[in-house]
Amino acid sequence: MKLKLIIKDRLIHSGMKASLAKLLNNTLAKYALHIRKVDIHVDDIPTSQHGPLKECKINMLLPGLPNIVVKAKGKNIVHAIQRALKSLQYVLLQKYQLKQLNP
């Protein structure tokens, strides 16, 4: 599994990047053999009610299946990534159950 992490307008220290990679690996370990590449983009979104929010967009490349793209917003970088990973798990579960039912 190849991981590409892009965070705009922020400097991320190596410890934060390592912890995010560990979070991703722990969350998607069940599907690691079937994943080719994971791209994570985190952007700032200005809002009038809640202040600045982070939007995480995860693009996952799976062999034999179309790309999976998930977006989620959060209070900070980690929160946005956790919410996007939770949505991604839900989508992966649906796709793999459908594939198992129809061989």
Side-chain angles (χ1 to χ4, degrees), residues 58-100:
I58 298 179
N59 185 7
M60 182 180 290
L61 178 65
L62 298 168
L65 291 172
N67 289 355
I68 298 174
V69 179
V70 175
K71 289 184 183 180
K73 295 178 186 174
K75 296 180 278 190
N76 54 33
I77 294 171
V78 176
H79 186 243
I81 291 175
Q82 285 176 340
R83 291 184 72 186
L85 284 174
K86 193 173 279 192
S87 298
L88 187 64
Q89 279 182 323
Y90 180 73
V91 170
L92 281 172
L93 185 63
Q94 284 184 335
K95 284 195 180 282
Y96 277 112
Q97 278 185 347
L98 288 175
K99 193 166 186 171
Q100 288 175 357

Side-chain angles (χ1 to χ4, degrees), residues 14-82:
S14 61
M16 177 71 137
K17 191 170 183 179
S19 67
L20 291 175
K22 185 177 179 182
L23 173 68
L24 183 76
N25 286 332
N26 288 340
T27 306
L28 300 176
K30 186 175 171 180
Y31 307 103
L33 295 176
H34 303 289
I35 297 171
R36 285 196 183 163
K37 185 170 79 168
V38 178
D39 291 334
I40 300 176
H41 296 273
V42 180
D43 296 323
D44 289 332
I45 297 177
T47 60
S48 60
Q49 290 181 343
H50 305 291
L53 292 177
K54 306 290 183 199
E55 181 182 48
C56 177
K57 177 183 169 188
I58 298 179
N59 185 7
M60 182 180 290
L61 178 65
L62 298 168
L65 291 172
N67 289 355
I68 298 174
V69 179
V70 175
K71 289 184 183 180
K73 295 178 186 174
K75 296 180 278 190
N76 54 33
I77 294 171
V78 176
H79 186 243
I81 291 175
Q82 285 176 340

